[in-house]
Amino acid sequence: MKSQEIRSKFLEFYKSKNHAIVPSSPMVLKNDPTLMFVNAGMVPFKEYFLGQKKIVDARVADSQKCLRVSGKHNDLEEVGKDTYHHTLFEMLGNWSFGDYFKKEAIAWAWELLTEVYKIDKDILYVTIFEGDEKESLEKDTEAYDIWKQYISEDRILLGNKKDNFWEMGAQGPCGPCSEIHIDIRSADEKAKVSGASLVNLDHPHVVEVWNLVFMQFNRKANGSLENLPATHIDTGMGFERLCMALQGVQSNYDTDVFTPIIREIETITNVKYENTEIAGDETDIAIRVIADHVRAVAFSIADGQLPSNTGAGYVIRRILRRAIRYGFTFLNQKEPFIYKLVATLSDQMGDAFPEIKAQEQLARNVIKEEEQSFLKTLEQGLLLLDTMTANAGNKVISGKKVFELKDTYGFPEDLTALVLSEKGLDYNKEEYQEALKQQQDRGRAATAIETDDWNVLIEDDEEEFIGYDTLTADVKLTRYRKVTTKKDGEQYQLVFNMTPFYPEGGGQVGDVGHIETSNGDLIYVVNTKKENNLIIHYAKSLPANLSERFKAVVNKNSRNLSASNHTATHLLHQALRTILGTHVEQKGSLVSPKHLRFDFSHFSKVTSDELQEIEDFVNARIRENLSLVEQRNIPMQQAIDQGAIALFGEKYGDAVRAIKFGQSVELCGGTHVPQTGDIWYFKIKSEGAVASGIRRIEAITNVAVGDYFEDVERNFTDIKQLFKNPKDVVKSVTNLQDENATLKKQIEQLLKEKAENLSGELRNQLQEINGVQFLATKVALDANGIKNLAFALGKDFKNLFLFFASSEKADKAMLTCYISKELAAERGYDAGKVVRELGKLIHGGGGGQNFFATAGGKNPGGIPKALEKAKEYIV
Ligand code: SER
């Protein structure tokens, strides 16, 4: 059965059990401080488990892209070395939100595996949670009793907390689980060792395929467990492993999920995949790593996460660099090639995941550029690492050196660790951490270092945002907690039953303002952010009386300026698509009261004519004074039917808000001006590249434009005054430039004459030493003049040794050495060596060829000594 069919059969099966089938959410998470990537199929549904979001469908199924490369679930080290771990993998899942529980989850999983996929019951094992005394958790006898109806008891195994109590991360929903394992070994092997004894022991052919989690608890920040308001089902089946079992192969990489990419790697690199299963064959490992990593990187880019130097972007960059290095070292690929695999990936996955098709060109470009830039330093870095390892007496490399490699050559720590482990070496991890920490302490002061648990005053997880309609409201505090960060010290996070404060999102910064207590005290809100489903107000203090009603007041001026920039951003987007073409897609945006920044896909520089046209387009829409047409809570399809630009990034269950100004229609949660005329004026400040194929425009609107023009005018007035207020300033500047050019020419001519005169004088000062015409002297010429002088003199001699010093400024010195080519060759003199060595006296350095070299330095005081010592080179 082909992988496409395996995927659809899963979805069809759960559809027949009344599940809503939903598309995969993007892998990169936006509003979750505890997690960077979706690392399990349940992550996009977290709020439903916690009771923080209204349930749309009580039964849902999907195939979710997951990435396990950081935090609690991290498989990166295993990838490629074995045949069944991946960075990106698909997780087939079915969910019950407070609906069915263990009985149905188990019955359906069994029915699907044994009746739909027709897997032989004799190759299946299941596990159940054995309980945990420390946490006062009991054995899951309920699951045991249900399984007994389907499978013989010797195939039901007990599992400990590590394997059979599933947790998403340090905090969040969790519960006991029951895993289904599959034994695909040969009959011979099975006869020798029982499958039951290999379950959960990392055997490549006795692997877990499906995990059924019975969600019952929430793990709190203090480590304790609390019961969830309702029980839920979360199941996750490893799609690639299921394909391995159903396609009768022994490795995930032999399924049709991977074979097209592996064939393409073979064609490009001319290296054959030998299909060795276990660690050892480096070319096979390299091919598996690349086949795996390109999927993770391309899908991240398609989901809007570009490689970068921080956070999620850095994780992606590290994965790609790991793949590049494997290609470089083991497949001898010295030129970019991984980007070429994106086309195959898009062909193969594009139907199930349209985002990869839509973003194929961008993913190719970005990966190619990353490859180019890393390959430039890779060779040097590897050489350095070689030298380091050659000198590693005790087999442990200094952690500081490993850090330097990261800092200077962009070698991520895990990559260096990998290269070292291939050589049987290790490095001092504490030293590395220390060096990293020192750098972080220097550079970054804003890391959150402590977050308390929430103090819940009122059970209300449905905080309503009312800030589209009002900027003030009477509110009640529902929960708060203290957060300590290095940069801001102690702050309080406040959550209300409703709020007019806009939380940072969709590029727009969070609102600022204040909360007024009944006795008139003001608590300032310095920022507002969204975390999962809660809108969090950052305040410096807590109100004295937590249970009274407060007046929440948004700062009107900041909000209006943000709104002005946000509406202008939409008009800019429309202008770009109209003027540059519909290939333009939003890739990032920042909207603050001060300015707006918009990143978009476009493959060449935007010319100044185009920029002018774009600016004019937006200003024309401003002058038309278009009215805002807002539609809230409409289904996504309805918005798209009205022409809204569909952005990948919305997830299942999100009702959308459509914002229309004339022909511009966007899905947007941000705040806007009621009429485009309120923007006043739009002015582009800069245009440039952020990454290959991604451009950035920065612009201002409203009062910022007024300030900008005032500034320009002030400068202009100053310039006019410098020219004594002429009628035509441009003419005055042009005259000045012409005059300057004429003077420059005259100076050049004078200097030439001076050099000629000097040449006559100097010729008389030559001293014959040891068969050499020698002169060391100070001259008052610039670098070019000295060069001309030396070569003019040189024409008449075959045995000339000149050493000139000059100092055009008090803190600048220059040395020049000229030696006739014949003399340099005959006696092995080297002008480069002369200036290098004597350059030290003027606190500088330089070099050149053996017949002509110069050195620059900061210490003219060293000139006399240098002139004196020059003679010593004539031997
Ligand atoms: N959350 C569980 C897992 O990731 C099942 O979906 O294994």
Side-chain angles (χ1 to χ4, degrees), residues 70 112 115 137 191 197 208 221 238 314 326 333 347 358 366 447 465 470 479 491 548 564 616 720 744 787 796 809:
S70 59
L112 177 67
E115 288 171 33
L137 293 166
S197 67
E208 177 195 340
Y314 187 57
Y326 266 104
Q333 295 304 300
D347 271 357
V366 172
T447 337
F465 174 64
T470 175
R479 56 171 76 194
Q491 279 192 332
E548 67 174 358
S564 171
D616 292 347
K720 257 167 76 176
K744 251 194 192 153
K787 190 173 174 188
D796 302 335
K809 282 190 195 147

Side-chain angles (χ1 to χ4, degrees), residues 774 801 829 838 865-875:
F774 172 79
F801 188 120
Y829 290 168
L838 298 183
K865 187 100 193 176
L867 291 173
E868 198 184 304
K869 284 190 139 313
K871 204 179 281 180
E872 293 171 13
Y873 288 89
I874 299 175
V875 281

Side-chain angles (χ1 to χ4, degrees), residues 817 819 829-838 846-855:
C817 181
I819 304 172
Y829 290 168
D830 180 2
K833 182 170 170 233
V834 176
V835 299
R836 258 194 313 278
E837 291 178 0
L838 298 183
Q849 286 151 299
N850 66 347
F851 61 94
F852 185 78
T854 58

Side-chain angles (χ1 to χ4, degrees), residues 471-486:
L471 296 183
T472 57
D474 272 359
V475 297
K476 279 188 84 70
L477 191 64
T478 57
R479 56 171 76 194
Y480 69 92
R481 68 180 172 191
K482 194 164 78 184
V483 177
T484 316
T485 67
K486 269 198 188 157

Side-chain angles (χ1 to χ4, degrees), residues 39-43 66 68 73 89 91-95 166-168 177 179 208 210-213 215 234-237:
N39 62 5
M42 54 74 67
V43 171
C66 299
R68 289 198 169 170
H73 298 283
F89 63 98
M91 196 181 259
L92 303 170
N94 58 293
W95 285 273
W166 199 86
E167 308 203 34
M168 188 190 69
C177 62
E179 301 168 339
E208 177 195 340
W210 205 345
N211 189 11
L212 317 181
V213 183
M215 291 288 188
D234 152 30
T235 87
M237 174 142 62

Side-chain angles (χ1 to χ4, degrees), residues 692-703:
S692 164
I694 299 190
R695 313 292 305 178
R696 168 172 293 175
I697 282 183
E698 290 182 300
I700 47 174
T701 67
N702 214 300
V703 289

